[in-house]
Amino acid sequence: MLKWIGIVILAVVLVGFLGFYIWSEQTYSATEELLNKVKMDEDPLIKEKNDWLIFNSEDPNGKGLILYPGAKVEVEAYGYIGKSLSEKGYTVVIPKMPFHIAFLGINESEQIMDDFDESLDWYVSGHSLGGVAAASYAYEHQSDVNGVIFLASYPVKSSDFSEGNLPMLSIYAEKDGLTTGEDIEESKALLPSTATFHQIKGGNHAGFGVYGPQKGDRKASIPVWEQQDEIIQTMNRWMKEH
């Protein structure tokens, strides 16, 4: 009897894992327009290493940015942000997460920092669930990061930064159907009083990458490239100041 119970439990676990795997592989990929704009396979400054997509700069400014992808979003979808910031001097690393879920790879930042030049000043960032995971890493390693940038995201209550002084930037979008303005307003209690907030008028959740529409999101009233450029300009300006 116990043998059969064990077999049933194992079967349930295997079916559950198979269902999760199938779900996790139904990802959001970079659009053809993005892949035509940023030639990631042809650009000698863009490399892949250890499942990291790395955007090197021809004229490094001594600062590095680690960007955690949103849940089920392929790293290439953030290629325009990565390439644009690398052209401004930043070394940008976007790690591929296990099963495309950033919470399963929270400590990727530590491995990346250990692998790169120790003189770089590192910032961690993340889109949506990726931002939650990046904040969780930053909370446990505040002396290792220069700041945190949330892209349509915010920390969980266990990562309460309100009593600290770690520089933080929160970029959110007016028409985001997944990370709403109310979510951002509530998240302010978990961030330092010095945190910077920037709203993208007309932007939406999927516009923090370039991967097309996302289930549950609202329709943007501005082109995705306009939203992307505003994200890049805001990140660059803030990192220069911090």
Side-chain angles (χ1 to χ4, degrees), residues 150-172:
F150 295 98
L151 304 177
S153 187
Y154 47 86
V156 293
K157 290 183 180 179
S158 59
S159 300
D160 186 345
F161 295 92
S162 60
E163 299 299 320
N165 57 5
L166 185 65
M168 294 194 169
L169 168 65
S170 175
I171 306 177
Y172 61 104

Side-chain angles (χ1 to χ4, degrees), residues 42-100:
E42 302 173 14
D43 192 326
L45 292 173
I46 302 176
K47 307 288 186 182
E48 282 197 47
K49 179 181 180 182
N50 300 333
D51 281 336
W52 308 329
L53 186 59
I54 304 168
F55 297 80
N56 294 297
S57 176
E58 283 188 310
D59 186 21
N61 62 10
K63 295 185 177 185
L65 173 74
I66 301 169
L67 199 166
Y68 285 33
K72 298 174 62 176
V73 182
E74 301 281 357
V75 294
E76 292 82 4
Y78 304 97
Y80 184 70
I81 291 177
K83 181 59 180 176
S84 298
L85 287 174
S86 71
E87 290 174 347
K88 297 180 184 300
Y90 301 94
T91 299
V92 181
V93 185
I94 309 174
K96 296 180 181 180
M97 294 299 183
F99 301 105
H100 305 101

Side-chain angles (χ1 to χ4, degrees), residues 4-35:
W4 284 109
I5 292 174
I7 292 174
V8 170
I9 292 173
L10 178 60
V12 170
V13 171
L14 289 175
V15 169
F17 176 77
L18 180 60
F20 170 75
Y21 176 76
I22 293 172
W23 172 84
S24 71
E25 290 301 306
Q26 296 172 346
T27 58
Y28 294 99
S29 301
T31 66
E32 199 67 32
E33 187 178 6
L34 168 59
L35 296 177

Side-chain angles (χ1 to χ4, degrees), residues 68 71 73 95 110 118 133 169 194 205 226 240:
Y68 285 33
V73 182
E110 183 173 4
E118 292 183 0
L169 168 65
T194 55
H205 196 81
E226 183 177 331
K240 281 184 174 181

Side-chain angles (χ1 to χ4, degrees), residues 68-71 97-98 100-107 129-131 133-134:
Y68 285 33
M97 294 299 183
H100 305 101
I101 303 295
F103 261 114
L104 301 178
I106 287 177
N107 289 321
L129 190 62

